[in-house]
Amino acid sequence: MSPLSGPLAEGVHTLQLPDIALRYHVHGTGPVCLAHPGGPGIEGEYLRAPELEQHLTMVYVEPAGTGGSTRLATHPHGYTRELHSRHLAALIAHLPVHRVHLLGHSYGGFVAQYHAVHRPERIAGVVLYESAPVTGPEHGEEIARQMGVRWAEELHRLIPGARLLIPEHSGHFGHLEEPEPFAREVAAFVAAGNA
């Protein structure tokens, strides 16, 4: 695939939305995958995965109030999954592709799940990475006991066609601790969805 231009050209971009300026970074070539970091409020540079960029056009989002994206006028209030989903929808509409994959890490997985349920029209697939179907005290207690395996298995059972990878030698940052298996599995998932 040749290098993309415009909104998907390699590098840093800013999309002006009604409430904020949304910053995102583009790297790699192949099917488009938007990556939403954990947090909220954690800068997304940690989520960069060069191994995935060999297979996918990765669009790394800096959510509202994070990195180069501006803050809400009500900062620190108003940062919800609905808000982040609206911003994702605007970014997806801005991109010159019909459908995208979403990759959500930790809190970003909550945003990706919310978006897939409420705005599924342009979503080709969702990669939930170190996320869960619920939040709250039960979630925190379970993570302390099992590092989240129960929630991964529950999501796998509940989502038709889901694939489950539990890395054996990493924890919350598998894309850094085991980059090759992580990239291989995500790229295979996206390829299967585009076949």
Side-chain angles (χ1 to χ4, degrees):
M1 177 179 268
S2 62
L4 297 169
S5 60
L8 284 173
E10 182 89 13
V12 180
H13 301 265
T14 302
L15 174 62
Q16 187 60 52
L17 301 177
D19 54 349
I20 66 155
L22 184 68
R23 177 80 50 90
Y24 67 97
H25 304 256
V26 178
H27 300 284
T29 59
V32 175
C33 182
L34 272 66
H36 197 290
I42 296 176
E43 295 208 21
E45 181 62 29
Y46 80 91
L47 195 52
R48 179 116 190 248
E51 290 81 3
L52 277 179
E53 296 164 13
Q54 295 174 25
H55 308 280
L56 305 171
T57 299
M58 294 299 298
V59 177
Y60 300 99
V61 179
E62 293 183 16
T66 305
S69 292
T70 55
R71 294 179 175 193
L72 296 176
T74 59
H75 186 80
H77 305 289
Y79 296 95
T80 63
R81 287 176 283 182
E82 169 59 26
L83 173 88
H84 294 306
S85 175
R86 279 198 324 265
H87 291 168
L88 283 177
L91 177 55
I92 292 167
H94 176 69
L95 300 176
V97 293
H98 180 63
R99 293 165 55 91
V100 302
H101 280 79
L102 291 179
L103 184 151
H105 178 248
S106 195
Y107 173 78
F110 296 135
V111 173
Q113 290 173 70
Y114 184 93
H115 191 82
V117 168
H118 296 287
R119 295 176 174 94
E121 304 80 29
R122 296 193 53 190
I123 304 303
V126 177
V127 176
L128 301 176
Y129 170 34
E130 289 294 324
S131 193
V134 298
T135 60
E138 182 185 6
H139 178 241
E141 292 168 12
E142 189 69 27
I143 286 176
R145 282 194 302 276
Q146 297 190 45
M147 292 305 293
V149 173
R150 170 186 167 200
W151 303 115
E153 290 171 344
E154 184 172 330
L155 284 167
H156 184 245
R157 277 193 313 276
L158 294 173
I159 300 172
R163 294 168 66 156
L164 176 63
L165 171 67
I166 299 175
E168 295 189 26
H169 305 290
S170 61
H172 199 58
F173 298 101
H175 72 286
L176 299 174
E177 298 161 336
E178 292 185 74
E180 291 83 13
F182 178 83
R184 186 174 48 249
E185 195 64 27
V186 171
F189 173 76
V190 171
N194 286 331

